[in-house]
Amino acid sequence: MNRPSARIRIAVAGIAAAALVACGGGGGADEPTVKFPSDIRTGVASAGADINTSNLPEVSTDAIEALLSALGGDVSVSQPLGTARSQPLHLAGRAAAHLTRAERARPLAIEQDVQACVAGGTVTVTVDDADNNRLLTTGDTVTFSYADCLGGAGAPAINGGFTMRFNAVVLDTRAQPAAFDATVTMDLLSVASIGSLDGSARLWVSPVIGGLRSFVRYQDMVSVTNTDTGEEVAILNFDVDRTESGTTVVASINGSLQLGSDIYVLTQITPFDITTSDPGSGQLRMTDAQGDRLLMTARASVVDVDLFLASNSTSTPDSSIVGTPWASFRQ
């Protein structure tokens, strides 16, 4: 089977990561709060999902690429969604700016602006001010639509778009979003020669004591990657819970990941430390239908993969791939 390059697979889901990984500012004590989910998401493996000693290299590589996609890795994707950490509030801030800008001659429920991309093409920003109060508030939506948008010289063209519908918004003293809960819908957001994203996610962003927290709940997010023999599909149905505190950033993934037609369960054993982008420590377990367990353990710049078959109750794995550099998944 001809597999897409790791750079391609990471880039495609990296679009979602860049759009959804977040940070934020502060707000007043009397403002509404953004409530994060309290449950730990679980998944169910499909009957055909099977990890064994023969397919361990391929399955583990696919899983790690999906992992790096969700966490962002250190891959710089040429797309209009900006830097991963600040992007969601930046996008929300752009929507707020459209609503509050002084040059509006009269209140309009729907505000639209066509902007040039860095190296060609356009992005159209459409803000629907549901209550027409000229502030970004609950019920408002913002849509970003791309037409052959080039994020830089030599960058692939971006088409399609995505919409953010705000379920709750906390504004700071400048009427800018400090925290929010939004439903994000990707509408065939595509990058030429790489792939596309189509589906939904729920995004919560808010300051927490000593730092910032974002929580992304992917809901049947379809990631399609282009290969030399056609397309490969991954479906994301997991949560990414990320907290930035001081100079430390940690993240946990829980739920399920579909690779091809097979669904695997993802369970975070210990959070990943992603302060330096790639996981430096932490452990994630992936389980198939038989109860076979694939452990991915981060060790600084490398990752260890250990397979424990369902019948193995010892601490010695049935098969291992030790010390693979994270960088090798982006070649």
Side-chain angles (χ1 to χ4, degrees), residues 107-137:
L108 295 173
I110 298 179
E111 183 80 12
Q112 188 173 84
D113 186 23
V114 180
Q115 303 173 0
C117 296
V118 173
T122 61
V123 54
T124 300
V125 183
T126 304
V127 181
D128 186 348
D129 186 5
D131 54 9
N132 206 20
N133 67 349
R134 300 183 65 179
L135 293 172
L136 186 64
T137 49

Side-chain angles (χ1 to χ4, degrees), residues 230-311:
E231 297 179 337
E232 288 201 7
V233 179
I235 300 179
L236 316 182
N237 273 299
F238 53 75
D239 296 345
V240 180
D241 190 356
R242 172 181 176 134
T243 300
E244 302 175 30
S245 179
T247 59
T248 302
V249 185
V250 297
S252 295
I253 296 177
N254 290 283
S256 66
L257 171 68
Q258 182 172 337
L259 302 172
S261 60
D262 299 324
I263 301 174
Y264 301 90
V265 177
L266 300 177
T267 306
Q268 195 78 43
I269 306 302
T270 56
F272 285 121
D273 184 330
I274 56 173
T275 302
T276 58
S277 194
D278 289 333
S281 63
Q283 188 175 71
L284 180 73
R285 181 177 65 222
M286 187 167 84
T287 309
D288 66 12
Q290 293 75 37
D292 303 316
R293 308 172 311 281
L294 188 158
L295 295 183
M296 292 168 276
T297 304
R299 291 192 299 112
S301 61
V302 303
V303 58
D304 296 338
V305 174
D306 295 308
L307 173 63
F308 293 82
L309 298 177
S311 58

Side-chain angles (χ1 to χ4, degrees), residues 54-125:
S54 297
N55 67 14
L56 176 62
E58 180 177 0
V59 172
S60 62
T61 296
D62 286 350
I64 290 170
E65 290 170 1
L67 162 65
L68 290 178
S69 299
L71 296 179
D74 63 2
V75 175
S76 177
V77 181
S78 294
Q79 35 79 16
L81 301 181
T83 58
R85 292 192 182 186
S86 63
Q87 190 53 36
L89 282 182
H90 170 68
L91 295 173
R94 288 176 67 180
H98 280 283
L99 295 175
T100 60
R101 63 188 185 186
E103 62 266 27
R104 287 180 63 180
R106 59 188 176 86
L108 295 173
I110 298 179
E111 183 80 12
Q112 188 173 84
D113 186 23
V114 180
Q115 303 173 0
C117 296
V118 173
T122 61
V123 54
T124 300
V125 183

Side-chain angles (χ1 to χ4, degrees), residues 146-149 157-161 187-192:
Y146 304 95
D148 294 322
C149 178
I158 299 171
N159 288 282
D187 184 13
L188 287 176
L189 181 65
S190 65
V191 181

